[in-house]
Amino acid sequence: MKILLALDDNPRSLAEALRLARERGATLNALFVIDSTWEMFTGHDWLSGCNSRIGFLEYMHTTEEETAAATAIAFKKEVEGIPGELLTVTGDVAEEIRREAEKGYDLLVMSSPFTRGLEMMRDTVARVTKKLPCDIFLVKAEPKK
Amino acid sequence: MEDKNIFGKLLAIVPGLAIMVGTLFVLRVYVEPWMSQVTLFGYKGWLVKVMSLNYIVMSILLGMFYRNVLFGGKIPGWAEDGFRTTRLFIKIGVIMLGSLYTFDKLLKVGGVAITLIVAFVFGTAIFILWLGKRLNADRSVSSVMAAACGVCGVSASVATAPGVRAKPVDLALCIATILGFGIASMFVSPYIGKLLNMSDYQFGAWVGTGILNSGQVLATCLAFNPIFAPGTAVAYGEIWNVVRVISIPFVVFFITAWYWKNEAAVERVSLSSIIASKFPIFVIGFVGMTALSSLHILGAEGSETLRVIREVMAWVFGVGLVGLGAYIDVREIKAAGGTPLKIGLIAGLLKYLLALIIILAFIPKEGAF
């Protein structure tokens, strides 16, 4: 069995994916998507000079990369003994998850609501499940304090 | 990612741009003239004259329809490059707007504009920094909201965020709040203006001071009166907009300095480097057009050159506003919440209403030009 975990900042989805992988002796791949949709999200910003806008987009990309690095460390610490790998890609989060899920997985594990990058503003689950080729296991996110 | 040569890049713009231009063409040439002739509730042209459904408002609404209904929430890849030209169109439009003024006219209105803008920009920023403390908001959230509500919405957030180490999640909520407030005020303000019988001068001054996002200031002025000429709402509102834009680096400096003053880590904040990196160059183009107009190089009022410039301006802005509508994702705005929403609603409403009261009390109906 092959499981794909879509990573966000909900620790419960990682815990559930690990539990499932251990119970079923499955391979667990985790996917972290660096959100590249900030340019589109800030499309209303038509007044900024080029330098200001480029500086902002670079800052967002750096922040996303720092989050990716921190997530990778946390994931590697937890996943010991389970076969699989951590994949990091850049793009539209929902599209990248669906694209990866099409590569022969049996189950996709993700949080609901999903909070990676700008997806906290969108209905990611609805976007991902559209034409999803495998089963999906949704993990309820813990309410923010 | 696919690398394209210059021809490929230009070709990629065509589909989205064709939608924007085609939409405006149909609205301006067929739909608005037809709606002006339709009699509803015993009033000829009720939709245009009473409901303010002119081609500008319809351009934004159709842009929103494309994004939220037709495209299912996301501009598709094949149209993305074309829609991205929105920023270029609006900037070109603003540069051309410079032709509506001469320096002596700007001087007449400039004093009032600068006084109101400085008072409201810094007043709002200081109020939000205080309010953020009362609401126990993160300092970076207060900083971004102070810039966004104080100056000109999304552009000010974008300019401030890196300097105050704003978290992406907070920034997303700030932007959604600002856009939601801006869009609501864009549709409501023209009715309030007409209900209170405001002149173009009063209306331009009000929305230029009170509406949070500069894109919506422009659209609201054109919804109130779609004519591009000296003395119209857009001519006055844009003076306010340009003064706001010029103030961005100064506000960013003020807020960034405030943010780092109480942080354990230290970051050197320099006004000159902020001006160099944040000053929007297109403002120089706007001033250049005003210089040409002041030197009568564009001809006297009523000349063929000015008529053509204003006609082109209407098309340029119209195309840009279809794109502006297509960048409004209703679902993203509905996700606004948390402390940014509280701060945005309190400060935004206060600024909007206070600006209305001050304009009605102190700004005469007769404009300076």
Short mmCIF file of all heavy atoms in Angstrom, two decimals, chain B residues 234-280:
data_model
loop_
_atom_site.label_atom_id
_atom_site.label_comp_id
_atom_site.label_asym_id
_atom_site.label_seq_id
_atom_site.Cartn_x
_atom_site.Cartn_y
_atom_site.Cartn_z
N VAL B 234 -13.29 61.53 -10.77
CA VAL B 234 -12.03 60.80 -10.94
C VAL B 234 -10.83 61.76 -10.95
O VAL B 234 -9.75 61.43 -10.45
CB VAL B 234 -12.06 59.89 -12.19
CG1 VAL B 234 -12.00 60.67 -13.48
CG2 VAL B 234 -10.93 58.87 -12.14
N ALA B 235 -11.04 62.96 -11.50
CA ALA B 235 -9.94 63.95 -11.52
C ALA B 235 -9.56 64.36 -10.11
O ALA B 235 -8.37 64.47 -9.77
CB ALA B 235 -10.34 65.17 -12.34
N TYR B 236 -10.55 64.56 -9.25
CA TYR B 236 -10.25 64.93 -7.86
C TYR B 236 -9.76 63.72 -7.05
O TYR B 236 -8.76 63.80 -6.34
CB TYR B 236 -11.49 65.54 -7.19
CG TYR B 236 -11.80 66.92 -7.72
CD1 TYR B 236 -12.99 67.17 -8.41
CD2 TYR B 236 -10.90 67.97 -7.56
CE1 TYR B 236 -13.27 68.43 -8.92
CE2 TYR B 236 -11.17 69.23 -8.06
CZ TYR B 236 -12.36 69.45 -8.74
OH TYR B 236 -12.62 70.69 -9.24
N GLY B 237 -10.47 62.60 -7.20
CA GLY B 237 -10.11 61.41 -6.43
C GLY B 237 -8.68 60.98 -6.70
O GLY B 237 -7.97 60.53 -5.80
N GLU B 238 -8.23 61.13 -7.96
CA GLU B 238 -6.90 60.66 -8.31
C GLU B 238 -5.81 61.55 -7.70
O GLU B 238 -4.70 61.08 -7.45
CB GLU B 238 -6.77 60.56 -9.83
CG GLU B 238 -5.74 59.56 -10.32
CD GLU B 238 -5.80 58.20 -9.63
OE1 GLU B 238 -6.89 57.71 -9.31
OE2 GLU B 238 -4.72 57.61 -9.39
N ILE B 239 -6.11 62.82 -7.47
CA ILE B 239 -5.12 63.67 -6.78
C ILE B 239 -4.88 63.09 -5.39
O ILE B 239 -3.74 62.94 -4.94
CB ILE B 239 -5.62 65.13 -6.66
CG1 ILE B 239 -5.78 65.74 -8.04
CG2 ILE B 239 -4.65 65.98 -5.82
CD1 ILE B 239 -6.36 67.14 -8.04
N TRP B 240 -5.98 62.72 -4.73
CA TRP B 240 -5.87 62.11 -3.39
C TRP B 240 -5.08 60.81 -3.46
O TRP B 240 -4.22 60.54 -2.67
CB TRP B 240 -7.28 61.86 -2.83
CG TRP B 240 -7.76 62.93 -1.90
CD1 TRP B 240 -7.90 62.83 -0.56
CD2 TRP B 240 -8.18 64.26 -2.24
NE1 TRP B 240 -8.36 64.02 -0.04
CE2 TRP B 240 -8.56 64.91 -1.05
CE3 TRP B 240 -8.28 64.99 -3.44
CZ2 TRP B 240 -9.02 66.23 -1.00
CZ3 TRP B 240 -8.73 66.30 -3.40
CH2 TRP B 240 -9.10 66.91 -2.20
N ASN B 241 -5.40 60.00 -4.51
CA ASN B 241 -4.72 58.71 -4.69
C ASN B 241 -3.22 58.90 -4.86
O ASN B 241 -2.42 58.20 -4.26
CB ASN B 241 -5.27 58.01 -5.95
CG ASN B 241 -5.88 56.67 -5.61
OD1 ASN B 241 -5.79 56.19 -4.48
ND2 ASN B 241 -6.52 56.05 -6.58
N VAL B 242 -2.84 59.87 -5.70
CA VAL B 242 -1.41 60.08 -5.97
C VAL B 242 -0.69 60.56 -4.72
O VAL B 242 0.42 60.12 -4.42
CB VAL B 242 -1.23 61.06 -7.16
CG1 VAL B 242 0.23 61.53 -7.27
CG2 VAL B 242 -1.63 60.39 -8.45
N VAL B 243 -1.34 61.45 -3.95
CA VAL B 243 -0.71 61.91 -2.70
C VAL B 243 -0.53 60.71 -1.76
O VAL B 243 0.49 60.57 -1.09
CB VAL B 243 -1.54 63.03 -2.02
CG1 VAL B 243 -0.93 63.43 -0.69
CG2 VAL B 243 -1.64 64.24 -2.93
N ARG B 244 -1.51 59.83 -1.72
CA ARG B 244 -1.41 58.63 -0.88
C ARG B 244 -0.24 57.75 -1.32
O ARG B 244 0.53 57.26 -0.49
CB ARG B 244 -2.71 57.82 -0.98
CG ARG B 244 -3.72 58.19 0.07
CD ARG B 244 -5.13 57.84 -0.34
NE ARG B 244 -5.37 56.43 -0.60
CZ ARG B 244 -6.50 55.81 -0.27
NH1 ARG B 244 -7.45 56.46 0.37
NH2 ARG B 244 -6.70 54.57 -0.57
N VAL B 245 -0.12 57.59 -2.64
CA VAL B 245 0.96 56.74 -3.17
C VAL B 245 2.32 57.32 -2.78
O VAL B 245 3.22 56.58 -2.37
CB VAL B 245 0.85 56.67 -4.70
CG1 VAL B 245 2.04 55.92 -5.28
CG2 VAL B 245 -0.42 56.01 -5.12
N ILE B 246 2.43 58.63 -2.90
CA ILE B 246 3.72 59.27 -2.57
C ILE B 246 4.04 59.07 -1.09
O ILE B 246 5.20 58.98 -0.70
CB ILE B 246 3.69 60.77 -2.96
CG1 ILE B 246 3.60 60.90 -4.48
CG2 ILE B 246 4.92 61.52 -2.45
CD1 ILE B 246 3.33 62.30 -4.99
N SER B 247 2.99 58.98 -0.27
CA SER B 247 3.24 58.86 1.18
C SER B 247 3.64 57.43 1.59
O SER B 247 4.07 57.23 2.73
CB SER B 247 2.00 59.31 1.96
OG SER B 247 0.99 58.33 1.88
N ILE B 248 3.52 56.45 0.68
CA ILE B 248 3.81 55.04 1.05
C ILE B 248 5.19 54.89 1.72
O ILE B 248 5.28 54.36 2.83
CB ILE B 248 3.70 54.07 -0.16
CG1 ILE B 248 2.25 53.89 -0.58
CG2 ILE B 248 4.27 52.69 0.19
CD1 ILE B 248 2.06 52.97 -1.78
N PRO B 249 6.29 55.37 1.08
CA PRO B 249 7.60 55.12 1.71
C PRO B 249 7.72 55.72 3.10
O PRO B 249 8.34 55.13 3.98
CB PRO B 249 8.59 55.80 0.74
CG PRO B 249 7.86 55.97 -0.53
CD PRO B 249 6.42 56.09 -0.19
N PHE B 250 7.10 56.89 3.30
CA PHE B 250 7.21 57.56 4.60
C PHE B 250 6.46 56.78 5.68
O PHE B 250 6.91 56.65 6.81
CB PHE B 250 6.69 59.00 4.50
CG PHE B 250 7.46 59.80 3.48
CD1 PHE B 250 6.97 59.96 2.19
CD2 PHE B 250 8.69 60.34 3.81
CE1 PHE B 250 7.70 60.66 1.24
CE2 PHE B 250 9.43 61.04 2.86
CZ PHE B 250 8.93 61.20 1.57
N VAL B 251 5.26 56.28 5.30
CA VAL B 251 4.48 55.50 6.26
C VAL B 251 5.18 54.17 6.56
O VAL B 251 5.23 53.73 7.71
CB VAL B 251 3.04 55.27 5.72
CG1 VAL B 251 2.24 54.39 6.66
CG2 VAL B 251 2.34 56.58 5.51
N VAL B 252 5.73 53.54 5.52
CA VAL B 252 6.45 52.28 5.72
C VAL B 252 7.62 52.51 6.68
O VAL B 252 7.85 51.72 7.60
CB VAL B 252 6.96 51.71 4.37
CG1 VAL B 252 7.90 50.52 4.60
CG2 VAL B 252 5.79 51.28 3.51
N PHE B 253 8.32 53.63 6.49
CA PHE B 253 9.45 53.96 7.38
C PHE B 253 8.97 54.14 8.82
O PHE B 253 9.52 53.56 9.76
CB PHE B 253 10.12 55.25 6.89
CG PHE B 253 11.16 55.78 7.84
CD1 PHE B 253 12.39 55.13 7.98
CD2 PHE B 253 10.91 56.90 8.62
CE1 PHE B 253 13.34 55.60 8.88
CE2 PHE B 253 11.86 57.38 9.51
CZ PHE B 253 13.08 56.73 9.64
N PHE B 254 7.90 54.91 8.98
CA PHE B 254 7.36 55.19 10.32
C PHE B 254 6.95 53.89 11.03
O PHE B 254 7.31 53.64 12.18
CB PHE B 254 6.16 56.15 10.16
CG PHE B 254 5.29 56.28 11.36
CD1 PHE B 254 5.72 57.00 12.48
CD2 PHE B 254 4.02 55.69 11.41
CE1 PHE B 254 4.91 57.12 13.60
CE2 PHE B 254 3.21 55.82 12.52
CZ PHE B 254 3.66 56.53 13.62
N ILE B 255 6.22 53.03 10.30
CA ILE B 255 5.71 51.79 10.90
C ILE B 255 6.85 50.79 11.16
O ILE B 255 6.88 50.13 12.21
CB ILE B 255 4.61 51.17 10.01
CG1 ILE B 255 3.37 52.07 10.07
CG2 ILE B 255 4.26 49.76 10.44
CD1 ILE B 255 2.29 51.72 9.10
N THR B 256 7.78 50.69 10.21
CA THR B 256 8.90 49.75 10.39
C THR B 256 9.76 50.17 11.59
O THR B 256 10.17 49.33 12.39
CB THR B 256 9.76 49.67 9.11
OG1 THR B 256 8.89 49.49 8.00
CG2 THR B 256 10.74 48.52 9.16
N ALA B 257 9.97 51.48 11.72
CA ALA B 257 10.76 51.99 12.85
C ALA B 257 10.02 51.68 14.15
O ALA B 257 10.63 51.25 15.14
CB ALA B 257 10.98 53.48 12.70
N TRP B 258 8.70 51.86 14.17
CA TRP B 258 7.89 51.55 15.36
C TRP B 258 8.00 50.06 15.71
O TRP B 258 8.17 49.69 16.87
CB TRP B 258 6.43 51.91 15.10
CG TRP B 258 5.50 51.47 16.20
CD1 TRP B 258 5.18 52.15 17.33
CD2 TRP B 258 4.74 50.24 16.26
NE1 TRP B 258 4.30 51.42 18.09
CE2 TRP B 258 4.01 50.26 17.47
CE3 TRP B 258 4.62 49.14 15.41
CZ2 TRP B 258 3.16 49.21 17.84
CZ3 TRP B 258 3.78 48.10 15.79
CH2 TRP B 258 3.07 48.14 16.99
N TYR B 259 7.96 49.22 14.68
CA TYR B 259 7.98 47.77 14.90
C TYR B 259 9.31 47.34 15.54
O TYR B 259 9.33 46.60 16.52
CB TYR B 259 7.79 47.03 13.56
CG TYR B 259 7.92 45.53 13.69
CD1 TYR B 259 6.85 44.77 14.13
CD2 TYR B 259 9.11 44.88 13.37
CE1 TYR B 259 6.97 43.39 14.26
CE2 TYR B 259 9.23 43.52 13.50
CZ TYR B 259 8.16 42.77 13.94
OH TYR B 259 8.29 41.42 14.07
N TRP B 260 10.43 47.83 14.99
CA TRP B 260 11.73 47.37 15.47
C TRP B 260 12.14 48.02 16.79
O TRP B 260 13.01 47.50 17.48
CB TRP B 260 12.81 47.60 14.41
CG TRP B 260 12.67 46.60 13.31
CD1 TRP B 260 12.12 46.81 12.07
CD2 TRP B 260 12.99 45.21 13.35
NE1 TRP B 260 12.09 45.65 11.34
CE2 TRP B 260 12.63 44.64 12.10
CE3 TRP B 260 13.56 44.37 14.31
CZ2 TRP B 260 12.82 43.29 11.79
CZ3 TRP B 260 13.74 43.03 14.00
CH2 TRP B 260 13.38 42.51 12.77
N LYS B 261 11.48 49.11 17.15
CA LYS B 261 11.82 49.82 18.39
C LYS B 261 11.64 48.90 19.61
O LYS B 261 12.41 48.95 20.55
CB LYS B 261 10.90 51.04 18.52
CG LYS B 261 11.42 52.09 19.47
CD LYS B 261 10.55 53.34 19.41
CE LYS B 261 10.57 53.98 20.79
NZ LYS B 261 9.27 54.33 21.28
N ASN B 262 10.63 48.06 19.58
CA ASN B 262 10.35 47.21 20.74
C ASN B 262 10.67 45.73 20.53
O ASN B 262 10.19 44.88 21.24
CB ASN B 262 8.87 47.36 21.15
CG ASN B 262 8.60 48.74 21.71
OD1 ASN B 262 9.36 49.26 22.51
ND2 ASN B 262 7.54 49.37 21.23
N GLU B 263 11.43 45.45 19.47
CA GLU B 263 11.82 44.05 19.24
C GLU B 263 13.18 43.78 19.88
O GLU B 263 14.03 44.68 19.98
CB GLU B 263 11.91 43.78 17.73
CG GLU B 263 10.55 43.73 17.05
CD GLU B 263 9.70 42.56 17.49
OE1 GLU B 263 10.14 41.41 17.39
OE2 GLU B 263 8.56 42.80 17.97
N ALA B 264 13.40 42.51 20.29
CA ALA B 264 14.68 42.16 20.91
C ALA B 264 15.80 42.25 19.87
O ALA B 264 16.88 42.79 20.14
CB ALA B 264 14.60 40.74 21.47
N ALA B 265 15.54 41.75 18.66
CA ALA B 265 16.53 41.85 17.59
C ALA B 265 16.52 43.29 17.06
O ALA B 265 15.55 44.00 17.23
CB ALA B 265 16.19 40.88 16.48
N VAL B 266 17.62 43.68 16.44
CA VAL B 266 17.69 45.06 15.95
C VAL B 266 17.88 45.04 14.44
O VAL B 266 18.65 44.27 13.91
CB VAL B 266 18.87 45.81 16.61
CG1 VAL B 266 18.99 47.23 16.04
CG2 VAL B 266 18.68 45.87 18.11
N GLU B 267 17.15 45.86 13.76
CA GLU B 267 17.34 45.99 12.31
C GLU B 267 17.43 47.48 11.99
O GLU B 267 16.60 48.28 12.45
CB GLU B 267 16.16 45.36 11.56
CG GLU B 267 16.32 45.48 10.06
CD GLU B 267 15.82 44.23 9.34
OE1 GLU B 267 16.29 43.12 9.64
OE2 GLU B 267 14.97 44.40 8.48
N ARG B 268 18.43 47.83 11.21
CA ARG B 268 18.62 49.24 10.88
C ARG B 268 17.57 49.64 9.83
O ARG B 268 17.38 48.96 8.83
CB ARG B 268 20.03 49.45 10.32
CG ARG B 268 20.44 50.90 10.31
CD ARG B 268 21.91 51.07 9.91
NE ARG B 268 22.10 52.42 9.43
CZ ARG B 268 21.96 52.80 8.18
NH1 ARG B 268 21.63 51.92 7.27
NH2 ARG B 268 22.15 54.06 7.82
N VAL B 269 16.86 50.73 10.11
CA VAL B 269 15.82 51.18 9.18
C VAL B 269 16.26 52.53 8.61
O VAL B 269 16.50 53.47 9.36
CB VAL B 269 14.47 51.35 9.92
CG1 VAL B 269 13.38 51.74 8.94
CG2 VAL B 269 14.09 50.08 10.64
N SER B 270 16.37 52.60 7.28
CA SER B 270 16.81 53.86 6.68
C SER B 270 15.75 54.40 5.73
O SER B 270 15.26 53.69 4.86
CB SER B 270 18.14 53.60 5.96
OG SER B 270 18.17 54.25 4.72
N LEU B 271 15.40 55.67 5.92
CA LEU B 271 14.37 56.29 5.08
C LEU B 271 14.80 56.32 3.62
O LEU B 271 14.00 56.02 2.73
CB LEU B 271 14.05 57.71 5.59
CG LEU B 271 13.00 58.47 4.79
CD1 LEU B 271 11.65 57.76 4.79
CD2 LEU B 271 12.81 59.90 5.32
N SER B 272 16.08 56.65 3.39
CA SER B 272 16.53 56.76 1.99
C SER B 272 16.43 55.41 1.27
O SER B 272 16.00 55.36 0.12
CB SER B 272 17.95 57.31 1.92
OG SER B 272 18.80 56.49 2.68
N SER B 273 16.79 54.32 1.96
CA SER B 273 16.72 53.02 1.26
C SER B 273 15.26 52.62 1.06
O SER B 273 14.92 51.99 0.05
CB SER B 273 17.48 51.95 2.03
OG SER B 273 16.81 51.65 3.24
N ILE B 274 14.38 52.99 2.00
CA ILE B 274 12.95 52.66 1.83
C ILE B 274 12.38 53.46 0.65
O ILE B 274 11.65 52.92 -0.18
CB ILE B 274 12.17 52.92 3.13
CG1 ILE B 274 12.51 51.83 4.16
CG2 ILE B 274 10.66 52.92 2.88
CD1 ILE B 274 11.81 51.95 5.49
N ILE B 275 12.76 54.74 0.55
CA ILE B 275 12.26 55.55 -0.58
C ILE B 275 12.76 54.94 -1.89
O ILE B 275 12.00 54.78 -2.84
CB ILE B 275 12.70 57.02 -0.44
CG1 ILE B 275 11.92 57.69 0.71
CG2 ILE B 275 12.45 57.80 -1.75
CD1 ILE B 275 12.31 59.11 1.01
N ALA B 276 14.04 54.57 -1.92
CA ALA B 276 14.62 54.01 -3.15
C ALA B 276 13.91 52.72 -3.57
O ALA B 276 13.68 52.48 -4.75
CB ALA B 276 16.10 53.75 -2.96
N SER B 277 13.53 51.90 -2.59
CA SER B 277 12.94 50.60 -2.96
C SER B 277 11.42 50.64 -3.07
O SER B 277 10.83 49.80 -3.74
CB SER B 277 13.35 49.52 -1.95
OG SER B 277 12.85 49.84 -0.68
N LYS B 278 10.76 51.60 -2.43
CA LYS B 278 9.29 51.56 -2.41
C LYS B 278 8.63 52.66 -3.27
O LYS B 278 7.41 52.64 -3.44
CB LYS B 278 8.75 51.73 -0.98
CG LYS B 278 9.39 50.84 0.07
CD LYS B 278 8.97 49.41 -0.02
CE LYS B 278 9.58 48.58 1.09
NZ LYS B 278 9.47 47.15 0.87
N PHE B 279 9.41 53.65 -3.74
CA PHE B 279 8.75 54.75 -4.45
C PHE B 279 8.25 54.27 -5.82
O PHE B 279 9.01 53.74 -6.62
CB PHE B 279 9.71 55.93 -4.63
CG PHE B 279 9.02 57.15 -5.18
CD1 PHE B 279 8.30 57.98 -4.34
CD2 PHE B 279 9.06 57.44 -6.54
CE1 PHE B 279 7.64 59.09 -4.84
CE2 PHE B 279 8.40 58.55 -7.05
CZ PHE B 279 7.69 59.38 -6.20
N PRO B 280 6.96 54.46 -6.10
CA PRO B 280 6.45 54.00 -7.38
C PRO B 280 6.82 54.97 -8.51
O PRO B 280 6.37 56.12 -8.53
CB PRO B 280 4.93 53.97 -7.17
CG PRO B 280 4.67 54.67 -5.89
CD PRO B 280 5.94 55.07 -5.25
#
